[in-house]
Amino acid sequence: MSDIQSLEDFFSSIPARPQFTQRSVNIPGDFRTGWRLSVLSLLLTKGRSKSLALSHLHVLWWAIRTSTSRSLFLKWLEGDKNPDELLVRFDPSLTVTVDLALGQGLVERTATGLIKLTALGGALADSANSDSLVLVTEKEFLERLPRSITQRQVSELLEWT
């Protein structure tokens, strides 16, 4: 089964309905709406009550995007803290993704400003987790993260950089 067919099958089984068209030039996954919404839903499952502060999301969003950032973030969590290597970037695409997810009913903003996964977003995360052919690298990274990453750790990291 091709990657495109796997993704089409995956998204046909969930409420969100992105469209996939094969192109002659590959588009990196992090530029694709399906990837961004799916990864956002998976990241939110790492938070208490499936919710995270936007700053927390930015750190995890930065960390999950490349093999280098994944490696650096994991090293930092293990205590190997080198300020010369770790430069967290705030990515405007996360804000766009959160806005899109709000519009699609996948997330909601709580009274305290947290981004919280809705039942619909939870279904997307569950579907992504249950399909072994999609987001393999991203799910492996999330499995390697500690059970919880506190807001204090995120603040320390952001103040460091």
Side-chain angles (χ1 to χ4, degrees), residues 79-91:
D80 186 1
K81 299 177 179 183
N82 186 346
D84 296 335
E85 292 181 330
L86 202 65
L87 294 172
V88 175
R89 306 281 188 224
F90 281 71
D91 187 347

Side-chain angles (χ1 to χ4, degrees), residues 126-140:
D126 291 344
S127 295
N129 269 325
S130 67
D131 191 329
S132 63
L133 300 176
V134 299
L135 302 171
V136 174
T137 303
E138 292 84 350
K139 290 187 291 189
E140 286 173 356

Side-chain angles (χ1 to χ4, degrees), residues 37-85:
L37 291 174
S38 299
V39 168
L40 176 63
S41 67
L42 289 172
L43 291 176
L44 286 168
T45 64
K46 296 299 284 182
R48 178 183 290 160
S49 300
K50 296 185 179 181
S51 60
L52 292 169
L54 194 55
S55 60
H56 206 135
L57 271 172
H58 270 288
V59 168
L60 292 174
W61 190 260
W62 164 83
I64 203 168
R65 291 186 63 191
T66 69
S67 60
T68 302
S69 60
R70 287 188 294 271
S71 174
L72 288 171
F73 188 62
L74 290 170
K75 282 174 43 179
W76 185 84
L77 288 172
E78 293 166 357
D80 186 1
K81 299 177 179 183
N82 186 346
D84 296 335
E85 292 181 330

Side-chain angles (χ1 to χ4, degrees), residues 20-31:
F20 296 95
T21 306
Q22 189 163 2
R23 307 269 188 223
S24 59
V25 176
N26 288 335
I27 299 171
D30 58 338
F31 289 158

